[in-house]
Amino acid sequence: MIEAVTAESIAKAVDALRVGECVGLPTETVYGLAADGLNPEAVAKIFEIKERPSFDPLIYHLADDTELSSVASDVPEVAQQLVNKFWPGPLTLVLPKQLIVPDVATSGLSTVAIRCPDHDAAQELLHAYGKPLTAPSANKFGRISPTTAQAVQEELGDAVAVILDGGPCRRGIESTIVDCTAETLKLARPGSLALEEIEEVTGPLEVLPHDGPPSAPGMLKSHYAPRTTMYLSRDPYHPGMLAGGNHGYLVLTNTGNPSRDVLELSGMGDLVEAGVRLFGAMRELDARHYQSIIAFPVPEQGIGRAINDRLQKAATGYVVWRDGNWILK
Ligand code: TXA
Ligand code: MG
């Protein structure tokens, strides 16, 4: 049930966590499905509710960095510098784990992903509970991440005891994940903290290439996906494309004719605003039951890197605009 954030609803959430239940947790990035990170049965419940495969590890949420050494067994100097600069905030660090962290949460890895959310309600709950909470995004596995309490309710229904309503997420895209377990730091997932900002502290990170959508059309959708089939266009948007059939269009800025079928992420072309709106816009287009959704990549800089990553993972393939039609390419 959705509850406004009050002393009572925080107390109710704490009670639920104590008995191994899950709660809907607002953060600045997306809503999480949180459980007691040190209780293996509670952690297992997250996987069950999300229908998440056991090989996909979770992220730990701490009230502040004084708790860091309770879950991480080694914090290199550079990781501490990142913590000092960006916590609380949308940066997750992968570090060697303490034995106390249950294997079910890390999918058997010897490392653990940890962050400190920059959201008042998340902070209140973490302080009140006094133990780390582990939380993936509060969507069914493979689906669009929720950025409002209502979207959590739509995704998970009554499977959670309490959904704390912290309002729409300020960032709208998941945290950036940096793997600090090897000599060279790696960008494990682009997210709402821009790579450029991190590299000011660390120097160049190793950036793994986008995997992109499966190359064969019709293959299994991977992640962040609407129910409607979504494609990425290799051609830039122009209003003439609207003649191409019953499609919804997702663009950064609609400079052509305004149309109900075209959702723009930011009138000013602002990538931060686009990130905030991305998942909500995908949900909105999905609810309109088009034949397909055609999305257009944004500039690959700042948050744009994370937006393109999510679009590519949500898409089943690429299309091009040829002679008045969309064709798979
Ligand atoms: O912003 C966020 O990070 C949100 C909010 C709720 O905090 N959480 C989130 O969790 O995005 P989730 O479960 O949707 O994504 C967790 C991802 C995993 O899919 C995996 O890629 C990475 O974190 N991860 C977790 N543990 C890891 C580890 N030990 N090594 C490498 N990657 C890890
Ligand atoms: Mg997720």
Side-chain angles (χ1 to χ4, degrees):
M1 199 172 63
I2 295 178
E3 307 237 7
V5 180
T6 59
E8 289 74 38
S9 62
I10 295 281
K12 193 168 158 187
V14 166
D15 288 345
L17 291 167
R18 281 212 179 103
V19 296
E21 298 282 321
C22 299
V23 306
L25 175 75
T27 83
E28 79 281 29
T29 57
V30 301
Y31 274 71
L33 174 63
D36 182 333
L38 305 182
N39 174 346
E41 281 86 38
V43 175
K45 203 170 268 175
I46 293 178
F47 284 87
E48 196 183 300
I49 294 175
K50 270 191 68 113
E51 297 163 22
R52 180 177 177 114
S54 60
F55 54 75
D56 195 3
L58 307 179
I59 293 179
Y60 275 73
H61 295 67
L62 308 182
D64 57 55
D65 70 328
T66 60
E67 288 183 350
L68 189 51
S69 55
S70 69
V71 278
S73 61
D74 179 35
V75 182
E77 177 67 33
V78 65
Q80 189 60 52
Q81 283 169 359
L82 288 171
V83 163
N84 296 346
K85 174 109 201 239
F86 296 114
W87 280 15
L91 174 67
T92 296
L93 301 177
V94 176
L95 295 165
K97 85 175 184 77
Q98 288 284 13
L99 284 177
I100 197 174
V101 175
D103 288 335
V104 57
T106 61
S107 306
L109 296 173
S110 59
T111 58
V112 59
I114 310 166
R115 83 179 196 93
C116 174
D118 184 15
H119 189 290
D120 289 348
Q123 283 288 332
E124 254 182 78
L125 183 61
L126 283 162
H127 278 106
Y129 195 57
K131 282 200 267 178
L133 297 176
T134 194
S137 51
N139 49 280
K140 293 276 183 187
F141 180 70
R143 289 260 305 143
I144 306 169
S145 306
T147 53
T148 61
Q150 289 71 27
V152 178
Q153 176 94 59
E154 273 169 41
E155 283 292 316
L156 306 177
D158 297 328
V160 275
V162 185
I163 302 168
L164 292 172
D165 188 351
C169 298
R170 270 196 335 275
R171 298 277 193 159
I173 291 200
E174 292 85 349
S175 60
T176 305
I177 305 181
V178 175
D179 186 336
C180 305
T181 58
E183 195 62 34
T184 320
L185 300 194
K186 282 195 203 80
L187 179 72
R189 176 178 75 182
S192 55
L193 181 65
L195 177 64
E196 292 85 339
E197 282 193 63
I198 297 170
E199 288 186 330
E200 275 177 27
V201 177
T202 60
L205 296 194
E206 187 179 330
V207 178
L208 308 171
H210 287 308
D211 1 350
S215 49
M219 272 179 61
L220 192 68
K221 287 180 194 175
S222 52
H223 234 90
Y224 310 104
R227 296 202 168 83
T228 312
T229 310
M230 189 169 123
Y231 298 103
L232 265 185
S233 174
R234 293 194 191 273
D235 294 315
Y237 173 75
H238 63 82
M241 291 169 167
L242 290 173
N246 172 33
H247 307 299
Y249 293 84
L250 188 60
V251 303
L252 178 58
T253 305
N254 181 12
T255 46
N257 307 335
S259 159
R260 183 176 186 274
D261 296 331
V262 184
L263 277 197
E264 68 173 10
L265 293 172
S266 167
M268 302 295 287
D270 177 54
L271 291 173
V272 173
E273 183 184 25
V276 172
R277 293 212 55 219
L278 178 69
F279 290 137
M282 282 167 64
R283 276 179 192 277
E284 192 175 333
L285 286 173
D286 202 15
R288 295 196 199 157
H289 304 293
Y290 291 106
Q291 182 193 330
S292 46
I293 296 169
I294 297 173
F296 295 76
V298 303
E300 183 78 4
Q301 65 196 44
I303 313 302
R305 204 182 286 272
I307 296 175
N308 287 335
D309 172 78
R310 306 306 189 265
L311 290 176
Q312 289 185 345
K313 292 198 169 114
T316 55
Y318 285 97
V319 287
V320 292
W321 176 250
R322 291 292 176 273
D323 307 322
N325 286 303
W326 286 111
I327 55 173
L328 286 168
K329 187 86 175 202

